[in-house]
Amino acid sequence: MFSLLEVAKNSPFRTPFTKVQCDVPTPGLEGPVPGRHIQAAAAATESCEFGSSKYFALCSIGGILSCGTTHTFVVPLDLVKCRLQVDQAKYKNLFTGFKITVAEEGFKGLAKGWAPTLFGYSAQGAFKFGLYEMFKVYYSKALGEENAYLYRTTLYLAASASAEFFADMALAPFEATKVKIQTTPGFANTMREAMPKIMNEEGINGFYKGLVPLWMRQIPYTMMKFACFERTLELLYKFVVPKPRAECSKGEQLVVTFAAGYIAGVFCAIVSHPADVVVSKLNQAKGSSALDVTRSLGFMGMWQGLMPRIVMIGTLTALQWFIYDGVKVALAIPRPPPPEMPASLKEKLAK
């Protein structure tokens, strides 16, 4: 079994700036890194070693900040979107939804569900980004350097799906609470009030009955979010940005990150929307199953609220990547450049 340290060193996503401190030898890794001809040493400007436990922990912090803050920021839009999904006859469209909500509950009503959103998506973000970075390193080692480059899209998809599987377990109780507060009139106004009521009425199942449809929504969403972002970023630097990433300032790199994130977000919203509608309806209707809700909605019903969700998720995803990359810059976390074809593969293709 490879240690995280050893796996990281052999990752095809390593860079000349990904180095190991020589003054603190790692047992069993005192010699040159396999596949390289020099002894690695930590870059003075980096706060941790790529692939180390500290690296994954700092990436998790980036995930908390990127997901928790952005989802909380768009709570008003999310609230109206959820109400459109469960009662389109009343709320009709995005504008009418805002108008009715403010008329009935005041502007304060637009913030309903902010607490479970903040706590839930912070927890999800920690697992989503931290585990994604970890699985990407492990899976790249399992594939080998050449295959990891050739099948990097598959690698991104597998790593992100694995990470989201665990992230949704942390999110599910808070998501159930949020939707209940936002879509069930008179049920509760705060998380502290809602959680005990759900527990008393439905038991622990009340918090996790939406886990399967949550997986159905979030796993495709996250797979698209990470794979589309990684490949879009690669293409932007290759065909759009007029100079190599290494020559771009940190500000310029963050602008490219935002653009790639928004493009990825639009695709994310479309892929995951039907399951999102099912989750909203399921948590509103006590005693229903995901299959029951799907049958009652029909195909067209599962596309209700798509446009506001595209706006929300596009903006959300772009901001998440911008914040996540910004945290990496602020904390001096190693940021490998877009992957390049290994020299060994170039030699094979040249023959």
Side-chain angles (χ1 to χ4, degrees):
M1 178 64 71
F2 291 96
S3 68
L4 285 176
L5 193 61
E6 185 178 356
V7 169
K9 289 184 178 67
N10 286 282
S11 168
F13 302 98
R14 68 184 189 269
T15 78
F17 304 102
T18 303
K19 302 171 183 175
V20 181
Q21 293 182 351
C22 291
D23 54 343
V24 185
T26 304
L29 295 175
E30 291 83 356
V33 177
R36 298 162 75 181
H37 303 293
I38 58 171
Q39 185 74 20
T45 58
E46 294 176 353
S47 61
C48 61
E49 178 195 343
F50 176 76
S52 65
S53 297
K54 183 179 179 181
Y55 172 80
F56 296 130
L58 291 178
C59 288
S60 294
I61 292 173
I64 290 172
L65 294 174
S66 67
C67 291
T69 55
T70 51
H71 277 277
T72 304
F73 178 74
V74 296
V75 160
L77 184 60
D78 182 49
L79 179 142
V80 175
K81 181 266 301 179
C82 286
R83 291 181 174 181
L84 267 171
Q85 290 173 339
V86 301
D87 192 355
Q88 191 176 31
K90 178 180 179 180
Y91 294 99
K92 294 181 174 60
N93 55 53
L94 190 61
F95 177 77
T96 304
F98 273 105
K99 186 177 179 180
I100 292 173
T101 299
V102 172
E104 293 181 346
E105 304 173 55
F107 285 101
K108 186 179 179 180
L110 293 173
K112 265 191 171 181
W114 74 267
T117 298
L118 176 61
F119 286 102
Y121 283 93
S122 293
Q124 186 215 34
F127 284 93
K128 184 198 295 273
F129 283 90
L131 290 180
Y132 171 72
E133 298 285 2
M134 187 183 75
F135 282 122
K136 188 166 72 168
V137 168
Y138 269 112
Y139 292 165
S140 65
K141 172 59 185 176
L143 287 171
E145 188 173 23
E146 293 181 5
N147 286 331
Y149 174 79
L150 290 172
Y151 304 107
R152 56 194 181 282
T153 301
T154 301
L155 187 150
Y156 301 144
L157 292 170
S160 56
S162 301
E164 189 61 37
F165 178 83
F166 296 101
D168 288 343
M169 293 181 185
L171 171 63
F174 298 98
E175 181 74 359
T177 303
K178 174 188 77 75
V179 174
K180 200 76 171 177
I181 291 171
Q182 292 179 337
T183 62
T184 307
F187 180 78
N189 291 316
T190 66
M191 185 174 75
R192 287 183 297 175
E193 182 185 355
M195 282 191 154
K197 288 186 73 172
I198 294 174
M199 188 67 184
N200 290 334
E201 292 182 8
E202 303 180 63
I204 195 69
N205 182 59
F207 294 109
Y208 288 97
K209 68 178 182 180
L211 181 58
V212 172
L214 194 61
W215 277 330
M216 291 168 60
R217 180 189 82 184
Q218 289 298 132
I219 290 178
Y221 163 84
T222 301
M223 291 170 71
M224 183 66 71
K225 174 180 179 174
F226 283 89
C228 185
F229 171 80
E230 298 268 21
R231 292 311 301 263
T232 301
L233 194 68
E234 186 179 337
L235 291 173
L236 286 177
Y237 277 112
K238 187 174 182 179
F239 298 109
V240 179
V241 181
K243 54 186 176 182
R245 175 169 158 172
E247 297 177 13
C248 295
S249 68
K250 291 178 180 178
E252 289 171 336
Q253 290 182 33
L254 289 175
V255 169
V256 178
T257 294
F258 185 86
Y262 209 102
I263 293 169
V266 172
F267 288 101
C268 288
I270 296 170
V271 166
S272 62
H273 189 73
D276 181 62
V277 177
V278 173
V279 170
S280 296
K281 196 71 175 177
L282 183 65
N283 284 307
Q284 181 205 35
K286 185 169 67 175
S288 298
S289 67
L291 188 58
D292 293 334
V293 171
T294 302
R295 286 172 176 168
S296 66
L297 285 170
F299 178 78
M300 294 305 297
M302 289 192 292
W303 294 99
Q304 294 173 4
L306 176 61
M307 287 311 298
R309 190 159 189 269
I310 285 177
V311 174
M312 184 183 80
I313 296 300
T315 305
L316 197 81
T317 305
L319 286 173
Q320 282 180 0
W321 280 113
F322 184 84
I323 293 171
Y324 181 66
D325 215 28
V327 170
K328 281 191 168 185
V329 171
L331 298 181
I333 303 172
R335 298 165 66 236
E340 296 182 4
M341 184 181 294
S344 59
L345 185 58
K346 289 180 180 179
E347 291 176 4
K348 289 181 181 178
L349 294 176
K351 292 180 180 179

